[in-house]
Amino acid sequence: MENQHNHHHGHQEHKGHDHAAMQTLEHAHHKQEDEHNGQDEHAGHHTADFLKGFWLCLALTIPVLLLSHMIRQWIGFKLSFAGDKYLLLALSSFI
């Protein structure tokens, strides 16, 4: 009787081990699917965002260059008004 009990008990342990291994594999598979689906869902969004940011920064770079003291000296351009340094600070901080 003791031998049957040990055999039966060993079978349950093995069965529990297999169940835990299957749960781990299922969890890994679902995690992989979630990561894959997340990538497909947002597939061109980052490129469009970077392109918008690029064009905005490029447009703001022109007034920053025109307000820059060194650039104005190089090209012989004079542009000065009250608050021009603060506008230069704000635009360059945004970029």
Side-chain angles (χ1 to χ4, degrees):
M1 183 88 145
E2 192 175 313
N3 190 16
Q4 288 177 342
H5 179 65
N6 286 340
H7 177 68
H8 182 69
H9 183 64
H11 182 66
Q12 285 179 337
E13 286 179 18
H14 182 66
K15 191 175 183 182
H17 178 69
D18 287 345
H19 181 69
M22 285 179 43
Q23 283 182 331
T24 303
L25 287 174
E26 285 179 21
H27 177 69
H29 180 70
H30 288 298
K31 185 176 178 183
Q32 187 179 21
E33 282 181 356
D34 291 343
E35 290 173 358
H36 182 68
N37 289 340
Q39 289 174 354
D40 288 345
E41 185 177 316
H42 299 289
H45 294 269
H46 297 294
T47 305
D49 291 341
F50 282 121
L51 190 59
K52 286 178 191 176
F54 169 76
W55 289 116
L56 179 62
C57 288
L58 183 64
L60 292 176
T61 299
I62 295 168
V64 166
L65 291 175
L66 292 176
L67 291 171
S68 173
H69 179 70
M70 186 172 28
I71 299 296
R72 286 185 288 169
Q73 282 182 339
W74 285 354
I75 60 176
F77 182 70
K78 300 211 185 256
L79 175 66
S80 184
F81 56 89
D84 62 345
K85 293 178 184 176
Y86 297 111
L87 179 61
L88 179 61
L89 174 67
L91 292 174
S92 59
S93 295
F94 182 80
I95 292 173

